[in-house]
Amino acid sequence: MRRSTITTVTLTILAAFVLAPIAAPALAAPTNVTWPVAVHVTAAPGTENNIHIIYIFLEDDGRITYEPDEEGAWIHLILDHPAGITTVETHTGLSCFLPSGSHAGTVGCFDTSSVAPFPGGGEDFVVALGDRDDIFDVRTAVGLGGIGTEAVGSLGSFEVHAGSGNDKVYGNEVPATVVDEADDSTYEYWTQDALSGDQGNDLLVGGPGADFLSGGSGADTLDGGIEEIEDEFYTGEDDTLVGGPGNDLLKAWAADRDPVINCGPGRRDKAIIDRGLDPKPKGCEVVKKKPPAGAIDAAKVTARSATAY
């Protein structure tokens, strides 16, 4: 959403990935990506941001493929349209980068945990949105015009601060992978996101991991997302949902136990929980208990997240 100087970014081969046009609001500086340690994605003030991150394989010859082999690397592809995005390369071959033959609105960041052709555990992302109505989305290529249907959402851990404005933040729905190089066996696990709405009337949607959602001030909707899926590394409880000041809606109905459901100090808060699984919510004026529904796929959760109960 925001706009500005659309800074040239990466990969000639990404020219095919042109986003569908979106009406451009206020001008300002582009979103900035910095690295190493965590990947920091920082929006400029005065812009509306529509930030998406997907996970793709980059062949050594610069081609994008969805059938990876041992010649190449997995990268996170970060887009913000129409605000634009930029970075400064710090470590050749390891960092986020802006190669020659640029494509406006894109930055690539290597997944340094991956061992080709297998995907990896992803990177740790720290995201700071701006002061307008922003979108942050790392699900499977949702809303990205021109991105192939085989592209997958990004993986890793995401700490997102939505800032002021009425924002929509969608967490990770793709499992991370660990590879045993002795026999090339792989193990999948779900990472944990921390999504904070800060100010404004926000929508926060988690994924299958044990996520932390905090609405902050405003009338927020917190949706823990699909049920926590046990893996090789985590078999505990699911999400923590904390509303905050304002009249919030907490959706904890996902066929698993969410250890903390706290609406905060609003006067007309509502929580929807799993009967017999979830603890008694705190600070919620209305509590609706539903029988655990069993596994809920991502498509149903996406539709459910947009629906008021």
Side-chain angles (χ1 to χ4, degrees):
M1 295 168 169
R2 57 186 186 291
R3 86 83 165 324
S4 139
T5 314
I6 293 189
T7 305
T8 71
V9 267
T10 182
L11 304 178
T12 327
I13 39 96
L14 294 174
F17 294 156
V18 179
L19 296 177
I22 300 174
L27 294 173
T31 293
N32 187 49
V33 179
T34 58
W35 190 93
V37 187
V39 177
H40 289 259
V41 181
T42 306
T47 62
E48 290 185 4
N49 308 103
N50 186 10
I51 299 174
H52 295 256
I53 308 178
I54 61 172
Y55 196 62
I56 58 177
F57 193 81
L58 179 65
E59 296 279 8
D60 282 350
D61 61 5
R63 292 182 300 111
I64 295 290
T65 181
Y66 302 107
E67 297 180 357
D69 55 31
E70 295 182 358
E71 305 298 326
W74 287 95
I75 65 171
H76 303 273
L77 187 65
I78 310 173
L79 308 97
D80 189 353
H81 185 77
I85 195 163
T86 188
T87 191
V88 176
E89 186 171 286
T90 56
H91 296 76
T92 302
L94 292 175
S95 70
C96 301
F97 57 95
L98 294 171
S100 58
S102 58
H103 169 68
T106 308
V107 164
C109 296
F110 287 97
D111 180 1
T112 56
S113 70
S114 63
V115 180
F118 304 104
E123 298 294 326
D124 294 329
F125 288 82
V126 178
V127 180
L129 302 180
D131 51 8
R132 301 295 179 90
D133 297 343
D134 302 316
I135 295 174
F136 177 81
D137 196 338
V138 292
R139 300 169 302 173
T140 307
V142 174
L144 295 179
I147 297 294
T149 57
E150 294 178 290
V152 299
S154 196
L155 50 87
S157 294
F158 297 88
E159 176 186 332
V160 183
H161 302 273
S164 57
N166 302 324
D167 307 303
K168 297 179 180 179
V169 178
Y170 301 91
N172 165 48
E173 292 182 349
V174 179
T177 301
V178 174
V179 179
D180 185 342
E181 296 187 52
D183 58 5
D184 283 346
S185 58
T186 60
Y187 306 89
E188 291 185 342
Y189 66 98
W190 298 98
T191 55
Q192 297 170 281
D193 297 330
L195 312 179
S196 299
D198 299 330
Q199 298 83 39
N201 303 327
D202 305 307
L203 170 65
L204 309 178
V205 182
D211 302 317
F212 178 85
L213 278 61
S214 174
S217 60
D220 304 307
T221 298
L222 279 58
D223 189 334
I226 62 178
E227 65 175 319
E228 194 273 323
I229 301 174
E230 294 187 357
D231 53 44
E232 297 285 337
F233 302 95
Y234 185 79
T235 57
E237 298 176 317
D238 198 14
D239 304 307
T240 294
L241 286 73
V242 179
N247 299 320
D248 303 312
L249 171 60
L250 275 54
K251 298 180 181 181
W253 178 56
D256 53 14
R257 176 181 169 82
D258 300 293
V260 177
I261 305 171
N262 188 334
C263 288
R267 296 184 177 181
R268 293 187 297 275
D269 296 310
K270 184 176 181 178
I272 304 167
I273 68 174
D274 293 289
R275 180 182 295 123
L277 286 179
D278 289 323
K280 181 180 179 180
K282 296 181 179 180
C284 304
E285 285 69 39
V286 176
V287 177
K288 185 173 183 178
K289 299 179 181 179
K290 290 190 174 186
I296 302 173
D297 62 39
K300 290 180 181 177
V301 169
T302 299
R304 181 168 67 91
S305 299
T307 302
Y309 284 77

